[in-house]
Amino acid sequence: MAVHKDAEMAEILKPRTDNREYKRLVLPNSLEILLISDPDTDKCAASMNVNVGSFCDPEGLEGLAHFLEHMLFYASEKYPTEDSYSKYITEHGGHTNAFTASEYTNYYFDVNADSFEEALDRFAQFFIKPLMSPDATMREIKAVDSEHQKNLLSDGWRMNQLKKHLSSPAHPYHKFSTGSWDTLEVRPKAKGIDTREELIKFYEEYYSANLMRLVVYAKDSLDKIESLVESKFQDIRNINRNSLSFPGQPCTSDHLQILVKTVPIKDGHTLRIMWPITPSIRYYKEAPCKYLGHLIGHEAEGSLFYILKKLGWATGLSAGETDCTAEYSFFKVGIDLTDAGHENIQSVVGLLFKYIQLLQKSGVCEWIFSELSAICETSFHYQDKNRPADYVVDISSDMQLYPPRDWLARSSLPSNFNPSTIQMILDELNPENMRIFWESKTFEGHTDLAEPWYGTCYSIEKISSSTIQEWVTASPNENLHLPAANVFIPTDLSIKDFKDKVTYPILLRTSSYSRLWYKPDTMFFIPKAYVKIDFHCPYAGNSPESEVLTDIFTRLLTDYLNEYAYDAQVAGLHYGINPTDCGFEVTVVGYNHKLGVLLDTIVDMIMKFEVREDRFAVIKETIIKQYQNYKFQQPYQQAMYYCSLIQQDGAWPWMEQLEVLPNLEADALSKFVPLMLSKAFLECYIAGNIEQGEAESTIDKVESAFFKNSNPLCQPLFPSQHQTNRVVKLGKGKRFCYSAKGLNPSDENSCLVHCIQVHQDDYLANVKLELIALVAKQPTFHQLRSVEQLGYITVLMKRNICGIHGLQFIIQSTAKGPSHIDQRVEAFLSKFEGELRQLSEDEFKKNVNSLVDSKLEKHKNLREESRFFWKEITDGTFKFDRKESEVTALKQLTQQELVDYFDEFIKVNATRKKSLSVRVYGSSHLSDYEVDKTSAEQAKYVNIDDIFTFRRSQPLYGSFRGGRSPTKL
């Protein structure tokens, strides 16, 4: 029986729009649990948070907690078949994963509702009697090392470890947390330590029920979930392990008042100023860091960022608490610098401290706190529903930190105005308590130290408070001031009463100027709307230059709007202006009350667009660095890029865009924008808490602005100018291969993307392909990653480019080269062919039902629903009933039809198979690059030497997109 106490039965605060039921209970073994009943859910989920993380790693076994996280997935005494847990979850429409943090490890999954009980039982065995076989142990050490190899050239991982390195060795914050072959095999073995024995000892010492928190999200009543959970989790042993805490600060005086210059992998300049502070979790209702982060990170007129941007010194700024625990925390200000900002670093730091001094002089303002509190309260009560898996992870991760009443709200509802608490944290943001990390490639060759785990080069110097004061005094005399009241806070949160339950978007109006799709919200009942306007402009993407200029145009628009629209984003009204393959699109999503005001401003800004030379220069500099940094992408990202470039007609390579960029000046954009906008068609979608008349008048205003005034900016497109999306049609029975050296010579990782192109969008063919992907997904992972250990990134997924469907294997590896991996993929397909034929009728039906359940899963929120329908619109397929129609096709599918489809399109040497292998060779396999090209094995392939010659020589699929009427051309 569960233990119930009065304190445990306290009401849990939940959003007023939330109709789910919640219950807290504690089992006799002291496992604390939150049950969530949601009769409307399609997916059930669970998350177990164990209050043991990398801080508990024994000395000399760095990464052991993370390694244990990997090992628990393999097998248990009750379910001894290796990887059977992951196989079960995948076969029943679910996903599973885990992560290791400093002080806890979180395991979670979701699954189709009718398979939840067995999934939960398998999950519970992680914490009851896991098996950790010697063979699996050795293989998974390699997987941990492969994960580490993936991270070695990531600036995020490198800088995070450098911060930890420059802290007290006596504090566990200092540790290297992820582990590697060196820390889990080589070093222990040299000392006579058996890693598996230490792993079992670690599990037995720390994995105690009283250190665990479980969240279970299910469809059944609370009583039924409670009974289920009791039966599954009561056998987790409780050794009454003391709650783990790590008192003390990670930074001694030796680690404060320092300026660290460090060399990143990517081009660019970044400044991070950090202060160890009193953890705000102790004052979460008073929200001192939320208040200070709101002000220091503000971007409206008078803010620190506004001034830095005006001076041409920064392109981004963030502020807030980070690395927070109950014992210590940091407040961090991160600033993305321009070249000019990098040259004026002293003034940048001086302005930051000048703003902090302004906050000191202004005092803590109750009206700002009240405004922030109102925004947070609205956000909490009208929050979007998330995926159950995300929801349970968020809650379980924080259950140790908050009382049960606040498990859902956590720190999201600041309500107690206490100036002294905010002042206390503000006082800690002083020069004596500061750490500055300054990243730039310009420091290359000018550093004298290296961080031991990632090899990051850095130098360090002390910096006194008097020096900081000199920088403050010498910084520009700009008008820094507190923000004005936020005019975008919604006050009308009423829900529209739509009489008809509209299931799919309707074509509300169409003209030579635009087409408007409309979908009222009859499902979520939240006062939010979603507006998308896609400007189809033929001149926007007809050359590398025009594509780059369109990109600069959209960024400049966003840049110009920032100080005005920042308040809207703070208040929950978000916007985006982004380039597309044939123009640009404007998105506005959030509370509908003041959405029209923001949209009107965006339209007006486009209409009156002028190029400001100073901002053009900053944006150009930013884009050049981003293009230059493409070479530092992970090899799998490079391979997927090549795969798209080969197949998508009209796609321009980033190398050509980078080539034209330096020669583009402001006047080129001034001439280009009127030309780009001179011919346009607007594809529009409006959904949510907005009435039909409002939707029509919104687009009528936009049409009038662009097409119908006395001197119209735009003319409608000719029929021949409507944009298409053509995809290369690979030859039947042919294997194509494109090989390239990795763009970053320092990266040892190689990658293969093995892409099988199958068919153009068709309900029956789609579900056959999806079913094969579902059945093969877990065997792919188990064979190629768990057994053969080819690489940490091992994925089989369905691919859809503009309505052309296929499968793709993505495998990144330091262990083997791309050609070898390609052979292993084909070997897997040969093995899988037999498994597919031997699939029992029950297994076939089980997989069909799983896919049916997944397809019938309801959208969680307006944004998710709108993205689904918008993809149908942009692809030109307009199959808004896709899920239902594909379910109908699935239910009629026979097992023999599936096997026949596999034999025809996917199996090795199938006569109608069309495959493309994209191979990226990392530095550890460069010797294979030339050898593979001339090998006997390679004679089976059609080699692609030049992407564009190849693309021009191939036939194309017909385009779904391309006309004013929703029909296929």
Side-chain angles (χ1 to χ4, degrees):
M1 290 290 291
V3 178
H4 297 291
K5 299 176 184 174
D6 291 341
E8 289 160 0
M9 299 304 290
E11 183 183 357
I12 295 170
L13 179 65
K14 68 176 189 176
R16 63 176 68 106
T17 54
D18 187 354
N19 58 8
R20 293 167 290 200
E21 293 184 315
Y22 299 84
K23 183 176 183 179
R24 182 206 185 206
L25 63 130
V26 181
L27 298 186
N29 61 359
S30 297
L31 175 63
E32 195 167 7
I33 304 166
L34 177 66
L35 309 177
I36 306 173
S37 170
D38 180 3
D40 296 327
T41 192
D42 302 298
K43 283 275 200 294
C44 297
S47 170
M48 179 74 88
N49 198 78
V50 187
N51 192 206
V52 178
S54 60
F55 277 5
C56 295
D57 286 345
E59 199 66 41
L61 277 166
E62 292 83 0
L64 194 67
H66 178 221
F67 177 40
L68 176 60
E69 170 227 302
H70 277 237
M71 285 301 299
L72 292 192
F73 280 79
Y74 263 88
S76 63
E77 196 172 281
K78 186 173 181 180
Y79 299 101
T81 304
E82 200 173 276
D83 266 2
S84 64
Y85 161 77
S86 299
K87 183 174 186 288
Y88 183 87
I89 297 291
T90 301
E91 286 176 348
H92 294 87
H95 305 85
T96 181
N97 214 329
F99 61 90
T100 305
S102 299
E103 296 190 322
Y104 63 85
T105 306
N106 195 291
Y107 304 83
Y108 61 94
F109 75 92
D110 67 6
V111 74
N112 292 336
D114 59 358
S115 308
F116 184 56
E117 183 171 349
E118 183 174 337
L120 195 66
D121 190 55
R122 290 171 177 273
F123 182 68
Q125 297 306 310
F126 282 23
F127 314 102
I128 297 172
K129 287 211 172 162
L131 293 180
M132 303 185 216
S133 72
D135 180 50
T137 301
M138 186 56 63
R139 281 187 275 121
E140 206 55 28
I141 289 176
K142 291 178 181 175
V144 169
D145 185 66
S146 180
E147 186 176 355
H148 174 59
Q149 294 295 326
K150 171 184 72 72
N151 299 336
L152 275 175
L153 297 177
S154 161
D155 280 327
W157 284 99
R158 293 165 71 87
M159 297 308 161
N160 186 53
Q161 189 61 42
L162 180 59
K163 285 187 302 177
K164 295 165 74 170
H165 179 64
L166 296 176
S167 66
S168 170
H171 195 284
Y173 179 78
H174 182 79
K175 290 181 177 180
F176 167 60
S177 59
T178 55
S180 66
W181 181 256
D182 192 39
T183 67
L184 295 171
E185 172 61 17
V186 177
R187 295 188 189 190
K189 199 170 186 178
K191 296 176 184 174
I193 295 171
D194 186 315
T195 300
R196 180 170 173 268
E197 285 181 12
E198 293 298 322
L199 186 74
I200 295 168
K201 189 192 302 182
F202 186 89
Y203 179 85
E204 291 176 346
E205 182 179 352
Y206 289 113
Y207 271 52
S208 174
N210 71 305
L211 294 186
M212 299 180 185
R213 300 293 184 270
L214 174 67
V215 181
V216 176
Y217 190 115
K219 201 177 183 75
D220 297 318
S221 68
L222 286 173
D223 288 344
K224 192 169 181 183
I225 304 170
E226 180 174 349
S227 174
L228 177 67
V229 167
E230 283 181 12
S231 68
K232 304 299 182 192
F233 292 90
Q234 63 185 356
D235 291 335
I236 299 177
R237 69 194 180 99
N238 177 25
I239 58 173
N240 284 313
R241 189 74 168 75
N242 290 335
S243 287
L244 301 161
S245 63
F246 304 91
Q249 290 294 322
C251 298
T252 68
S253 58
D254 290 342
H255 310 111
L256 301 175
Q257 292 187 274
I258 57 171
L259 171 61
V260 183
K261 296 177 181 176
T262 177
V263 182
I265 297 295
K266 292 184 176 181
D267 288 327
H269 321 288
T270 306
L271 191 64
R272 292 184 176 90
I273 302 95
M274 308 182 73
W275 297 265
I277 58 166
T278 305
S280 70
I281 184 69
R282 300 176 188 175
Y283 311 96
Y284 68 94
K285 296 277 191 184
E286 295 157 29
C289 286
K290 197 179 287 284
Y291 176 93
L292 293 171
H294 170 66
L295 292 176
I296 297 172
H298 216 281
E299 298 184 15
E301 187 178 346
S303 67
L304 172 62
F305 178 68
Y306 174 83
I307 297 301
L308 292 174
K309 182 182 145 185
K310 178 182 156 190
L311 293 166
W313 292 352
T315 58
L317 185 147
S318 62
E321 194 174 16
T322 183
D323 290 336
C324 7
T325 73
E327 298 291 340
Y328 72 87
S329 186
F330 292 93
F331 191 92
K332 180 178 85 173
V333 176
I335 306 173
D336 297 320
L337 300 168
T338 62
D339 291 345
H342 177 68
E343 295 300 321
N344 288 278
I345 195 75
Q346 297 179 2
S347 290
V348 172
V349 175
L351 283 166
L352 167 60
F353 276 97
K354 195 175 273 189
Y355 193 83
I356 291 170
Q357 289 173 5
L358 167 69
L359 296 182
Q360 290 281 10
K361 289 174 192 168
S362 304
V364 179
C365 300
E366 187 169 8
W367 75 265
I368 293 176
F369 184 88
S370 298
E371 183 180 89
L372 193 58
S373 178
I375 290 168
C376 291
E377 185 175 0
T378 302
S379 178
F380 175 72
H381 286 296
Y382 295 98
Q383 61 186 274
D384 290 339
K385 208 171 184 180
N386 282 345
R387 290 173 60 241
D390 296 335
Y391 196 55
V392 295
V393 169
D394 286 347
I395 297 170
S396 69
S397 298
D398 286 333
M399 282 170 69
Q400 304 263 14
L401 298 173
Y402 296 93
R405 173 177 165 77
D406 292 324
W407 276 351
L408 306 184
R410 304 190 290 287
S411 62
S412 66
L413 284 176
S415 54
N416 300 343
F417 178 60
N418 188 337
S420 61
T421 302
I422 297 171
Q423 188 64 50
M424 175 186 71
I425 303 295
L426 179 59
D427 289 343
E428 291 178 330
L429 308 187
N430 63 63
E432 290 81 12
N433 196 34
M434 171 196 65
R435 288 151 59 89
I436 300 179
F437 291 84
W438 184 10
E439 302 163 33
S440 175
K441 288 291 264 293
T442 62
F443 299 139
E444 208 155 14
H446 302 284
T447 57
D448 56 350
L449 298 167
E451 188 278 319
W453 296 107
Y454 290 82
T456 308
C457 295
Y458 72 97
S459 63
I460 185 168
E461 60 190 76
K462 278 289 189 177
I463 183 164
S464 67
S465 53
S466 59
T467 299
I468 296 296
Q469 189 51 52
E470 288 171 11
W471 293 0
V472 171
T473 305
S475 64
N477 187 21
E478 295 287 342
N479 183 24
L480 290 164
H481 60 78
L482 297 179
N486 191 330
V487 298
F488 280 101
I489 297 174
T491 53
D492 180 1
L493 297 166
S494 59
I495 305 299
K496 313 282 187 187
D497 182 18
F498 299 111
K499 303 298 182 189
D500 300 323
K501 185 170 175 60
V502 179
T503 307
Y504 306 119
I506 55 175
L507 185 57
L508 208 54
R509 54 179 278 177
T510 184
S511 71
S512 60
Y513 310 118
S514 72
R515 178 167 51 197
L516 171 59
W517 300 92
Y518 170 66
K519 170 67 175 67
D521 174 22
T522 56
M523 191 171 181
F524 309 111
F525 307 107
I526 296 285
K528 296 179 181 178
Y530 186 102
V531 174
K532 180 86 80 169
I533 304 174
D534 192 347
F535 288 74
H536 289 206
C537 304
Y539 299 119
N542 61 6
S543 70
E545 290 93 340
S546 60
E547 196 157 279
V548 169
L549 287 167
T550 304
D551 190 5
I552 297 175
F553 164 71
T554 60
R555 294 186 194 223
L556 275 174
L557 272 175
T558 305
D559 185 79
Y560 296 168
L561 281 160
N562 191 61
E563 55 258 28
Y564 171 79
Y566 181 78
D567 273 341
Q569 301 200 72
V570 168
L573 183 54
H574 303 278
Y575 76 101
I577 306 169
N578 301 105
T580 64
D581 58 355
C582 58
F584 66 98
E585 63 182 23
V586 173
T587 311
V588 187
V589 58
Y591 300 111
N592 57 277
H593 180 204
K594 299 183 179 180
L595 185 148
V597 177
L598 180 57
L599 182 60
D600 287 348
T601 304
I602 293 171
V603 168
D604 190 57
M605 191 73 78
I606 296 171
M607 292 286 298
K608 298 175 180 174
F609 181 80
E610 291 182 358
V611 182
R612 304 175 198 165
E613 291 204 21
D614 58 334
R615 299 312 301 163
F616 176 89
V618 168
I619 298 297
K620 177 181 168 181
E621 177 191 312
T622 303
I623 294 179
I624 287 175
K625 285 175 186 167
Q626 287 181 357
Y627 276 96
Q628 288 171 336
N629 284 330
Y630 280 175
K631 62 180 175 285
F632 299 117
Q633 287 184 321
Q634 292 267 347
Y636 81 89
Q637 293 170 313
Q638 295 176 34
M640 290 178 74
Y641 163 75
Y642 291 132
C643 201
S644 295
L645 193 63
I646 288 166
Q647 294 183 77
Q648 285 189 261
D649 187 52
W652 305 108
W654 67 264
M655 297 80 86
E656 291 181 4
Q657 293 170 324
L658 178 59
E659 193 174 320
V660 303
L661 255 169
N663 300 318
L664 294 177
E665 299 301 337
D667 67 319
L669 185 62
S670 296
K671 292 170 184 171
F672 171 75
V673 172
L675 175 66
M676 176 185 70
L677 292 172
S678 65
K679 300 286 284 186
F681 179 79
L682 278 48
E683 190 80 70
C684 310
Y685 177 86
I686 297 182
N689 192 44
I690 190 164
E691 292 173 343
Q692 180 174 321
E694 291 179 83
E696 288 185 281
S697 64
T698 295
I699 298 309
D700 190 52
K701 281 170 68 178
V702 175
E703 266 192 14
S704 296
F706 286 102
F707 295 97
K708 298 177 182 176
N709 58 37
S710 56
N711 186 23
L713 196 61
C714 305
Q715 294 293 327
L717 300 186
F718 293 119
S720 61
Q721 290 181 297
H722 282 271
Q723 303 300 293
T724 59
N725 47 10
R726 309 294 300 272
V727 175
V728 166
K729 193 173 192 176
L730 300 177
K732 293 175 187 174
K734 292 185 178 180
R735 300 180 185 178
F736 296 94
C737 181
Y738 178 74
S739 300
K741 295 178 182 178
L743 298 173
N744 180 5
S746 301
D747 198 332
E748 295 184 1
N749 289 279
S750 294
C751 182
L752 168 79
V753 171
H754 181 99
C755 181
I756 304 170
Q757 189 187 79
V758 187
H759 64 266
Q760 193 164 27
D761 191 53
D762 171 82
Y763 290 139
L764 181 58
N766 293 350
V767 297
K768 290 176 182 176
L769 188 66
E770 286 184 80
L771 197 56
I772 285 170
L774 175 63
V775 176
K777 181 179 178 181
Q778 189 56 34
T780 298
F781 185 85
H782 177 67
Q783 180 63 35
L784 300 181
R785 193 235 197 226
S786 300
V787 176
E788 298 188 30
Q789 287 293 313
L790 292 180
Y792 176 74
I793 296 174
T794 300
V795 180
L796 168 64
M797 61 188 292
K798 190 172 154 298
R799 184 182 178 98
N800 176 7
I801 309 179
C802 305
I804 310 305
H805 296 255
L807 289 177
Q808 63 181 6
F809 294 82
I810 305 167
I811 302 170
Q812 181 168 296
S813 177
T814 51
K816 299 292 181 180
S819 178
H820 175 86
I821 297 172
D822 215 353
Q823 292 172 43
R824 298 315 304 154
V825 167
E826 299 236 310
F828 167 78
L829 283 171
S830 295
K831 179 173 180 283
F832 176 73
E833 181 185 340
E835 295 172 2
L836 185 66
R837 294 182 194 284
Q838 292 164 16
L839 206 63
S840 70
E841 187 177 344
D842 282 348
E843 286 177 311
F844 174 75
K845 286 180 179 175
K846 181 176 66 179
N847 281 286
V848 167
N849 292 336
S850 172
L851 190 53
V852 166
D853 288 345
S854 295
K855 286 192 170 295
L856 293 180
E857 190 177 336
K858 294 183 287 289
H859 296 296
K860 302 293 179 293
N861 52 60
L862 177 65
R863 194 185 293 246
E864 186 181 300
E865 178 192 75
S866 296
R867 284 173 176 164
F868 174 83
F869 290 134
W870 182 247
K871 178 164 174 53
E872 292 293 332
I873 293 167
T874 54
D875 279 356
T877 43
F878 302 105
K879 293 177 179 175
F880 300 129
D881 64 346
R882 176 179 298 279
K883 291 184 175 186
E884 295 78 7
S885 297
E886 289 184 347
V887 164
T888 301
L890 251 178
K891 289 179 176 178
Q892 296 168 355
L893 181 65
T894 67
Q895 188 168 350
Q896 188 57 51
E897 285 177 316
L898 187 69
V899 171
D900 291 345
Y901 178 86
F902 181 86
D903 287 348
E904 189 173 3
F905 296 107
I906 297 169
K907 83 170 186 179
V908 178
N909 297 324
T911 54
R912 298 187 66 187
K913 182 174 181 178
K914 302 177 287 184
S915 73
L916 168 64
S917 294
V918 176
R919 303 171 179 177
V920 171
Y921 289 76
S923 60
S924 57
H925 303 114
L926 280 182
S927 58
D928 300 340
Y929 178 71
E930 296 298 339
V931 173
D932 287 346
K933 281 190 170 184
T934 56
S935 69
E937 179 69 23
Q938 200 59 24
K940 301 174 185 176
Y941 292 87
V942 178
N943 284 309
I944 300 171
D945 295 315
D946 178 80
I947 289 175
F948 307 105
T949 301
F950 171 78
R951 215 165 68 180
R952 285 188 288 268
S953 70
Q954 300 302 303
L956 302 174
Y957 280 100
S959 172
F960 283 107
R961 186 174 67 189
R964 290 207 306 271
S965 58
T967 56
K968 180 181 170 184
L969 288 182

